[in-house]
């Protein structure tokens, strides 16, 4: 089984629908992240969480919300999907490595298409 | 302007060639990652380094903290090396990640 599991892997939906992307991890990492990737752009941070009670907005949080249900689970919701939210979404986890640097592990990605 | 710049954006090489991908960043960092993304999307971490040089098989990563520059080298390139290579830096009080836009490498047999 993958260390970081994302579901669904692919989803096609219509404008206005509510969508939830789920992420679970077996790494035991405290830190979890949601990123989106668009062609020609780097990975951009949507939300991040350093523990269950800590949720922070990233650079592109508008139109998204998250829930950290447990240390191992971090879900991303689009309350009312719009076409420009069509993208590849990644969940990632990290822990602090030796020397203070973080080790980063990605899920396989969730491809979302909003029609 | 992205604070992490990669070059080139696209690279095509013949099998066996030596490949270099560059990453420059504009502010102080605590560490830098090189990531590989294959067609199909999955992203894996190749290296994390904060100084000097690391080697894993045919891949070598170097970093010069003073010049704010890192390079990823692939020796004896192979078609299976075809992927997007992404540079990511870690900085700030929250140890946030900042990503380059990636270098798309195609190795032709």
């Amino acid at each position: 089984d993958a260390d970081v599991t994302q579901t669904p892997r692919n989803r096609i939906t219509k404008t206005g629908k509510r969508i939830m992307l789920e992420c679970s991890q077996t790494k035991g990492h405290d830190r979890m992240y949601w990123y989106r990737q668009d062609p020609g752009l780097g990975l951009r941070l949507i939300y991040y969480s350093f523990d269950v009670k800590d949720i922070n907005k990233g650079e592109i949080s508008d139109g998204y919300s998250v829930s950290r249900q447990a240390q191992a689970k971090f879900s991303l919701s689009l309350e009312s999907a719009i076409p420009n939210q069509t993208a590849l979404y990644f969940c990632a986890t990290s822990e602090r490595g030796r020397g203070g640097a973080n080790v980063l592990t990605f899920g396989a990605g969730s491809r979302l298409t909003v029609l | 302007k992205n604070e992490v710049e990669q070059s080139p954006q696209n690279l095509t090489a013949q099998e066996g060639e030596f490949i270099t991908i560059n990453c420059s960043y504009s502010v102080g960092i605590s560490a830098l990652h090189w990531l590989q993304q294959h067609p199909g999307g999955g992203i894996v971490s190749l290296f994390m380094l904060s100084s000097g040089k690391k080697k894993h098989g045919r891949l070598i990563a170097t970093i010069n903290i003073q010049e704010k520059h890192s390079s990823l080298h692939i020796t004896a390139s192979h078609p299976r090396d075809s992927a997007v290579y992404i540079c990511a830096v870690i900085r700030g009080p929250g140890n946030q990640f900042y990503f380059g836009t990636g270098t798309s490498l195609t190795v032709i047999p």
Side-chain angles (χ1 to χ4, degrees):
Chain A
D1 288 342
D3 294 325
V4 181
T5 302
Q6 291 184 229
T7 56
R9 292 292 314 281
N10 289 282
R11 181 73 184 268
I12 300 173
T13 191
K14 293 182 179 179
T15 297
K17 294 292 188 181
R18 184 177 186 273
I19 295 298
M20 179 180 286
L21 305 179
E22 298 187 340
C23 177
S24 62
Q25 53 123 340
T26 58
K27 299 287 288 186
H29 290 173
D30 288 327
R31 301 181 175 194
M32 299 187 74
Y33 309 81
W34 276 105
Y35 294 96
R36 68 176 276 176
Q37 186 180 46
D38 299 274
L41 299 176
L43 288 154
R44 292 183 292 165
L45 181 63
I46 307 172
Y47 271 93
Y48 63 102
S49 169
F50 283 179
D51 65 42
V52 174
K53 297 181 181 178
D54 177 73
I55 302 289
N56 304 280
K57 292 182 177 180
E59 62 180 295
I60 54 163
S61 59
D62 287 349
Y64 301 94
S65 62
V66 290
S67 174
R68 185 83 184 262
Q69 302 95 323
Q71 190 214 29
K73 295 182 183 295
F74 192 38
S75 57
L76 176 72
S77 294
L78 288 69
E79 296 301 325
S80 179
I82 56 176
N84 75 3
Q85 290 177 314
T86 293
L88 183 56
Y89 290 84
F90 285 99
C91 175
T93 72
S94 75
E95 66 171 357
R96 186 175 296 277
R98 285 182 296 175
N102 291 28
V103 177
L104 187 63
T105 304
F106 285 87
S110 296
R111 188 168 298 278
L112 176 66
T113 302
V114 183
L115 302 176
Chain B
K1 183 180 184 296
N2 197 352
E3 61 183 271
V4 181
E5 297 283 345
Q6 286 186 239
S7 63
Q9 283 189 300
N10 296 283
L11 180 57
T12 300
Q14 289 291 133
E15 183 173 357
E17 285 186 7
F18 180 85
I19 289 163
T20 296
I21 299 170
N22 296 298
C23 176
S24 298
Y25 51 92
S26 55
V27 295
I29 64 171
S30 58
L32 181 144
H33 278 264
W34 280 103
L35 309 170
Q36 181 190 56
Q37 184 174 24
H38 273 287
I43 300 174
V44 297
S45 179
L46 298 173
F47 294 103
M48 181 180 64
L49 63 166
S50 54
S51 65
K53 175 180 174 178
K54 286 191 176 180
K55 184 176 188 294
H56 185 259
R58 294 179 296 106
L59 274 59
I60 303 166
T62 64
I63 189 168
N64 185 318
I65 295 294
Q66 287 74 26
E67 294 187 3
K68 296 186 174 58
H69 181 269
S70 175
S71 293
L72 176 68
H73 305 287
I74 305 175
T75 62
S77 60
H78 189 277
R80 64 174 174 267
D81 297 326
S82 298
V84 175
Y85 293 85
I86 302 169
C87 171
V89 302
I90 303 166
R91 69 169 187 83
N95 276 347
Q96 290 298 334
F97 294 88
Y98 297 85
F99 298 86
T101 55
T103 295
S104 179
L105 171 65
T106 302
V107 181
I108 300 170

